[in-house]
Amino acid sequence: MSSSRTKISLEDARLSGINIDFEKMENGEKRYRLMSSDGSYYCRTVAAETGAWQNSHYHKRVTEFYVIQSGWIVYAEIGLNEDVDFRFLKDGESIFVKPFVHHNLFLSPHTIIHTIKYGGEGSEIDWFPSKELDHFIKNLSENDLKDLIKYN
């Protein structure tokens, strides 16, 4: 049994509703995205040389699945009791984030994560900032997080 594979050009991918987007974020992260016109996407994120928070946000329709390839992250979310809950994740661990959950990630230096977003069903942006969560976490440094994790 032989298989025949043919490369798909970037133009053919675009015509099928698939686009790529590579960018360096304000916090120094590099993001390599593969996005579909149906609102789903895959992203490989490579953290900067210093640890940093991403931007606190939530989605109304999208579910996110984060996988930590190497390094470690601190996942923060506003819990049901409206307190901020923290979770430490390292190589090989993962977390699902459902719609309407205000969340953020702190990536340690050189961490690599993979993010899959799905369920958006449409091309409109489903990303909303969470000033509520930023209020609690944006001033927490890497050392603050290490102390917090040590005592939890």
Side-chain angles (χ1 to χ4, degrees):
M1 185 179 353
S2 77
S3 70
S4 176
R5 298 186 297 184
T6 306
K7 294 282 185 189
I8 299 171
S9 71
L10 289 177
E11 183 57 29
D12 284 343
R14 277 189 215 100
L15 292 171
S16 297
I18 304 296
N19 286 296
I20 58 171
D21 179 38
F22 300 158
E23 67 182 323
K24 187 172 184 179
M25 307 304 286
E26 200 172 296
N27 66 5
E29 290 178 353
K30 293 178 184 171
R31 294 195 186 172
Y32 305 92
R33 296 184 187 99
L34 178 65
M35 304 170 303
S36 172
S37 59
D38 68 4
S40 64
Y41 89 50
Y42 160 79
C43 180
R44 175 188 171 99
T45 301
V46 179
E49 295 197 17
T50 58
W53 285 103
Q54 295 186 334
N55 292 310
S56 298
H57 66 284
Y58 67 96
H59 307 280
K60 293 183 178 176
R61 296 175 311 281
V62 168
T63 297
E64 289 182 297
F65 178 57
Y66 294 102
V67 178
I68 295 75
Q69 176 177 319
S70 63
W72 59 266
I73 70 166
V74 172
Y75 169 80
E77 74 174 32
I78 296 178
L80 294 176
N81 55 5
E82 299 197 17
D83 288 336
V84 177
D85 298 323
F86 295 94
R87 185 167 165 199
F88 174 79
L89 299 158
K90 59 186 184 321
D91 303 15
E93 296 184 318
S94 61
I95 191 164
F96 277 98
V97 183
K98 295 187 180 215
F100 293 100
V101 174
H102 293 237
H103 62 283
N104 199 342
L105 304 177
F106 180 94
L107 277 64
S108 66
H110 307 289
T111 290
I112 298 173
I113 66 170
H114 303 276
T115 307
I116 298 171
K117 291 186 181 186
Y118 60 93
E121 300 185 21
S123 59
E124 62 188 64
I125 302 297
D126 183 22
W127 189 98
F128 303 91
S130 175
K131 292 180 182 167
E132 299 88 341
L133 184 55
D134 275 345
H135 172 74
F136 289 105
I137 66 168
K138 276 296 187 169
N139 291 324
L140 293 176
S141 70
E142 185 172 340
N143 286 333
D144 294 333
L145 292 171
K146 286 178 180 177
D147 289 342
L148 181 73
I149 291 163
K150 193 184 316 178
Y151 298 110
N152 279 333

